[in-house]
Amino acid sequence: MRAQAVLLRAAALLLLVAFVARPQLFAFAFEPLTANNASAIYDQGSLLALTLSHLRTVFLATLASSVLAVTLGVFVTRPFGQEFLPLSRSLVNIGQTFPPVAVLAIAVPLVGFGEKPTFIALFLYGLLPIFENTLTGLADVEPQTLEAAKGMGMNARQRLIQVELPLALPVILAGIRLSVIISLGTATIGSTVAAKGLGEVIIAGLQSNNVAFILQGGLVVALLAVLIHGGLAAVERAVARRLGRPAGAATSQPS
């Protein structure tokens, strides 16, 4: 079964690369969805360039979310930071309390149109799952393990870097995976504020009533989500096996 899954993912990756690189080869599949001699393939820009721009925004936003959420998660699990846990949880929840569209509306007057407001929306939206999984991963480290590390002469910083974070890593990676998948879909709204991405294809289809464009944008995003989800899940399993721990389960709601 695992070999079949690998083959299916490889086939999906080849299909995705072929489509974004040479979309005209697939025109025959989308022609039945067009009307009035409309173009069957999105022709207002390069699908490859839009896909790369989409991934770039998601990657940068997830990287920024990961750095802040993990740092904050570590801080509030230390004795000197525990009193800030309720406040920190409330702050990271704000990102998912406000709809991304509302964040864009607030951000555009401050930073202008383009990638920046989209980055801000994705950054805020991605904090919660990474923060919560960081808390869960650190809380799951057994006290006996920490006592053994302490008995070996490790100070608090060494225990954090050499013991706690490595053991919590599978669960933290699960939170990052969830954040990436959320951002991949949410990033499509960035095109409403002139950010380059696959949302541009979908919006063009809506404006021209061209179902083929809408389907193309949606399919590329869906394939990216499936492939990235599978890839990150494989990384989690590999890390968990190396540590002798179960793979982390993503947590999206505060405990």
Side-chain angles (χ1 to χ4, degrees):
M1 290 294 291
R2 182 168 294 181
Q4 291 177 346
V6 171
L7 288 175
L8 284 174
R9 284 197 292 268
L13 177 59
L14 289 174
L15 178 63
L16 175 63
V17 171
F19 179 68
V20 298
R22 299 291 298 275
Q24 292 298 333
L25 296 177
F26 300 84
F28 69 92
F30 295 95
E31 284 173 354
L33 302 174
T34 63
N36 301 321
N37 295 318
S39 175
I41 297 295
Y42 181 72
D43 56 0
Q44 299 171 31
S46 166
L47 272 178
L48 178 59
L50 291 175
T51 300
L52 293 176
S53 294
H54 195 96
L55 289 173
R56 176 179 180 275
T57 304
V58 170
F59 172 77
L60 292 176
T62 303
L63 178 62
S65 295
S66 300
V67 170
L68 179 59
V70 172
T71 301
L72 194 58
V74 169
F75 173 71
V76 298
T77 55
R78 305 303 98 183
F80 54 80
Q82 289 178 352
E83 62 182 296
F84 296 100
L85 176 58
L87 174 61
S88 300
R89 182 165 276 155
S90 298
L91 289 174
V92 298
N93 268 286
I94 290 176
Q96 293 198 1
T97 300
F98 282 95
V101 174
V103 177
L104 289 178
I106 295 171
V108 166
L110 299 175
V111 298
F113 288 89
E115 184 182 22
K116 290 180 181 179
T118 307
F119 170 86
I120 293 171
L122 298 183
F123 164 72
L124 293 175
Y125 216 56
L127 286 171
L128 179 61
I130 304 173
F131 176 75
E132 289 295 335
N133 273 43
T134 300
L135 296 183
T136 301
L138 291 173
D140 285 346
V141 177
E142 297 179 357
Q144 298 92 325
T145 302
L146 295 177
E147 285 298 324
K150 188 175 181 179
M152 293 171 62
M154 290 186 181
N155 57 35
R157 182 179 179 182
Q158 290 172 325
R159 293 196 297 272
L160 172 65
I161 295 174
Q162 299 180 32
V163 179
E164 292 183 76
L165 285 176
L167 291 176
L169 186 57
V171 182
I172 295 173
L173 288 175
I176 293 173
R177 170 168 51 88
L178 177 57
S179 181
V180 169
I181 301 307
I182 291 172
S183 293
L184 277 170
T186 306
T188 56
I189 67 169
S191 297
T192 61
V193 293
K196 290 294 182 181
L198 292 166
E200 186 175 308
V201 184
I202 297 172
I203 291 175
L206 292 172
Q207 291 175 338
S208 61
N209 197 28
N210 190 331
V211 178
F213 287 2
I214 299 172
L215 186 59
Q216 286 160 38
L219 282 175
V220 174
V221 172
L223 281 174
L224 286 172
V226 170
L227 290 169
I228 292 175
H229 181 280
L232 292 178
V235 172
E236 289 170 39
R237 290 192 296 270
V239 172
R241 282 196 301 269
R242 186 167 184 176
L243 295 171
R245 296 175 66 84
T251 304
S252 59
Q253 298 297 328
S255 56

